[in-house]
Amino acid sequence: MIRRISALLLLLLLPVVAFAEEAVTTFTLDNGMEVVVIEDHRAPVVTHMVWYKTGSADEPVGASGVAHFLEHLLFKATDTLESGEFSATVAANGGSDNAFTSYDYTAYFQRIAADRLELMMQMESDRMNNLRLTDADIETERQVILEERNQRTENNPNALAREQFRAALYQNHRYGVPIIGWKHEMEELSMDDVLGFYDLYYSPNNAILVVAGDVYPDEVQALAEKYYGVIPAEANLPRRERPSEPPQRAERRITFVDPRVSQPYMTRSYLAPERDPGAQTEAAALVYLAELLGGSSFTSALGTALQFETQTAVFTGAGYGGSSLDTSSFGISAAPAEGVTLSEVEAAVDDVIAEFLDAPIDPDRLESIRTQLRASEIYAKDDVAGLARRYGAALSQSLTVEDVQAWPEVLQSVTEEDIKAVARKVLNKDQAVTGWVVPSAEDAI
């Protein structure tokens, strides 16, 4: 009982607790490399990350997958390190490392004891400028990424379906191309493709260094200037301009058939605004909209109406990804209950959305979501590596440190009018793709 009372008191107190900003220092090296330092001296550990402001959406047409391919190849040899020596050195020093590629960025990170930071900068700056690849590296790693695609996409009907739906949603923008690449283009990636991408984009004036943990800004700056500051800027770095989506004038529909599908379902993705510098209110309202429509099965509009009141669906959901350089998406989904067709569950989803747009939002439910988001933002500050990712991703997608720090308060200031306005703007089937995923054509009814 005492524990329950304490938890209740914490939730009641959260709305009046001010958000404490992280100790963040920023500066820019002479060669254009941005640096973010997040101080947290509670443990002698540091997260060291380098974010390149280039991802799969920046790839040349016809070379899809080259950003992710290069991410793999960066663990090969450099002028001073043998292939595989980078990760082996990190592990030998008690740390861990990895990398990841998204549509808008590619990032490399190490989590290690704070007194090993200089070693990390020495090695990471080395592979920024001194990668040495062989034909054998290209052939071997190409097979690795093709097998990764086989495991994650080709062998997963839901992943294949999502790939098709996204390609239909983004018909002109490179967000419609999978991050890992189209298989037929991955098979043709060459040394020239990789080195052209590396030489142009893996440059200090296209990179953000984020160091978080038991560090001091002046120490980080001295090390950054020593190791990264000596790398020349890329004079020919292009402006980050991408093709935009033309106005969508009609609903798009796809039926994806695969005998491996065990549970038919419908999904719909709408084009939706992203978080922009100094303009994050619509994105924050969409976070609330996702929770209100399809967050918890027990409290959301779709969950209560379709899973409990009418038992039309066995699953419902909604989601929004606001972290995006360009136009993002808002999605809903539902899986019909036994004896219910996809047509019937889709009609029921549309009825719930129409009712949501017309009816007022329960103020208690709105306040509950507001409190949950406040708690989530407060607890997130305890994850130093997570903060490093938050700032790195944001700055890679055109946001600023001020935008990141303002986000919790922007979330708290969302009103019912904000939510309804963005719902009416986004929930338009003429700017969406509706997909059915079924095991056979006979199930598409």
Side-chain angles (χ1 to χ4, degrees):
M1 178 63 71
I2 293 176
R3 288 181 179 177
R4 291 182 181 178
I5 293 174
S6 298
L8 177 60
L9 286 173
L10 176 60
L11 287 175
L12 291 173
L13 288 171
L14 279 174
V16 297
V17 175
F19 287 104
E21 292 185 355
E22 304 83 44
V24 178
T25 303
T26 63
F27 52 89
T28 302
L29 303 182
D30 290 342
N31 58 12
M33 187 174 190
E34 300 173 58
V35 184
V36 178
V37 182
I38 306 168
E39 293 182 69
D40 188 318
H41 301 287
R42 292 177 295 176
V45 178
V46 66
T47 296
H48 171 264
M49 307 189 78
V50 170
W51 297 72
Y52 293 98
K53 291 184 282 187
T54 188
S56 65
D58 300 293
E59 296 166 339
V61 174
S64 65
V66 70
H68 175 251
F69 192 22
L70 179 57
E71 175 214 309
H72 278 242
L73 291 166
L74 224 68
F75 291 87
K76 300 298 182 180
T78 69
D79 287 348
T80 60
L81 296 173
E82 297 296 327
S83 181
E85 188 178 353
F86 189 108
S87 293
T89 302
V90 174
N93 282 272
S96 60
D97 75 313
N98 214 326
F100 48 88
T101 304
S102 185
Y103 292 105
D104 299 320
Y105 51 73
T106 309
Y108 301 82
F109 68 91
Q110 304 86 41
R111 181 170 171 80
I112 201 162
D115 63 0
R116 301 296 194 276
L117 176 60
E118 182 170 5
L119 176 60
M120 298 303 102
M121 285 204 190
Q122 179 183 350
M123 294 196 300
E124 193 68 79
S125 62
D126 177 42
R127 66 177 176 178
M128 177 185 282
N129 205 41
N130 299 313
L131 188 62
R132 295 293 175 262
L133 300 176
T134 66
D135 290 336
D137 292 332
I138 297 296
E139 295 302 322
T140 300
E141 210 61 35
R142 185 194 292 112
Q143 295 308 311
V144 172
I145 62 170
L146 285 169
E147 181 57 28
E148 183 177 341
R149 181 180 167 87
N150 285 336
Q151 292 180 359
R152 295 186 178 184
T153 306
E154 302 295 338
N155 293 331
N156 185 336
N158 295 320
L160 286 171
R162 287 193 299 270
E163 196 173 73
Q164 293 299 308
F165 300 155
R166 190 172 182 94
L169 183 65
Y170 294 100
Q171 294 192 337
N172 196 47
H173 195 285
R174 295 287 290 180
Y175 285 168
V177 178
I179 294 171
I180 198 168
W182 296 117
K183 186 174 183 178
H184 68 285
E185 293 184 350
M186 295 166 65
E187 292 171 339
E188 301 298 324
L189 291 173
S190 67
M191 177 79 79
D192 288 342
D193 293 324
V194 171
L195 292 182
F197 201 78
Y198 173 73
D199 290 340
L200 184 61
Y201 291 113
Y202 277 50
S203 311
N205 48 326
N206 195 45
I208 303 162
L209 170 64
V210 181
V211 181
D214 190 19
V215 293
Y216 293 94
D218 56 342
E219 297 172 354
V220 173
Q221 184 166 4
L223 291 173
E225 289 175 347
K226 178 180 179 180
Y227 291 105
Y228 294 107
V230 296
I231 302 174
E234 172 55 60
N236 296 317
L237 184 69
R239 292 186 61 184
R240 204 172 193 192
E241 296 179 335
R242 294 162 167 179
S244 59
E245 281 297 302
Q248 185 175 333
R249 306 185 188 281
E251 180 184 6
R252 299 167 188 164
R253 301 187 65 89
I254 293 178
T255 299
F256 184 86
V257 181
D258 191 309
R260 296 172 295 178
V261 173
S262 58
Q263 168 67 60
Y265 63 92
M266 66 82 58
T267 183
R268 183 180 297 142
S269 295
Y270 304 84
L271 293 173
E274 74 283 1
R275 288 170 63 186
D276 285 325
Q280 302 185 89
T281 299
E282 282 192 327
L286 284 165
V287 172
Y288 281 81
L289 181 62
E291 283 296 316
L292 289 165
L293 276 182
S296 166
S297 299
F298 300 98
T299 57
S300 66
L302 288 170
T304 54
L306 303 190
Q307 293 180 249
F308 293 98
E309 293 176 4
T310 65
Q311 297 185 345
T312 304
V314 294
F315 170 81
T316 59
Y320 167 66
S323 295
S324 176
L325 179 62
D326 300 314
T327 301
S328 187
S329 63
F330 183 94
I332 58 172
S333 57
E338 186 175 356
V340 178
T341 66
L342 282 169
S343 295
E344 290 169 338
V345 79
E346 183 180 332
V349 166
D350 288 337
D351 288 343
V352 171
I353 292 174
E355 183 178 348
F356 176 85
L357 292 174
D358 290 338
I361 298 174
D362 180 356
D364 290 338
R365 179 67 187 127
L366 193 61
E367 195 58 35
S368 175
I369 295 172
R370 199 184 312 279
T371 300
Q372 291 169 11
L373 290 172
R374 177 175 285 274
S376 176
E377 291 296 319
I378 290 173
Y379 298 147
K381 296 179 183 296
D382 290 330
D383 182 359
V384 180
L387 286 176
R389 288 190 177 221
R390 176 176 292 197
Y391 280 90
L395 270 64
S396 300
Q397 295 170 323
S398 84
L399 297 176
T400 66
V401 168
E402 292 73 24
D403 291 320
V404 176
Q405 294 180 337
W407 178 243
E409 293 296 350
V410 174
L411 284 171
Q412 291 301 302
S413 66
V414 169
T415 66
E416 178 178 357
E417 291 72 24
D418 294 329
I419 299 168
K420 285 301 183 71
V422 79
R424 294 188 182 98
K425 175 179 178 178
V426 169
L427 299 178
N428 174 3
K429 288 199 287 186
D430 284 344
Q431 56 183 23
V433 172
T434 300
W436 287 6
V437 182
V438 292
S440 68
E442 291 73 23
D443 294 297
I445 57 175

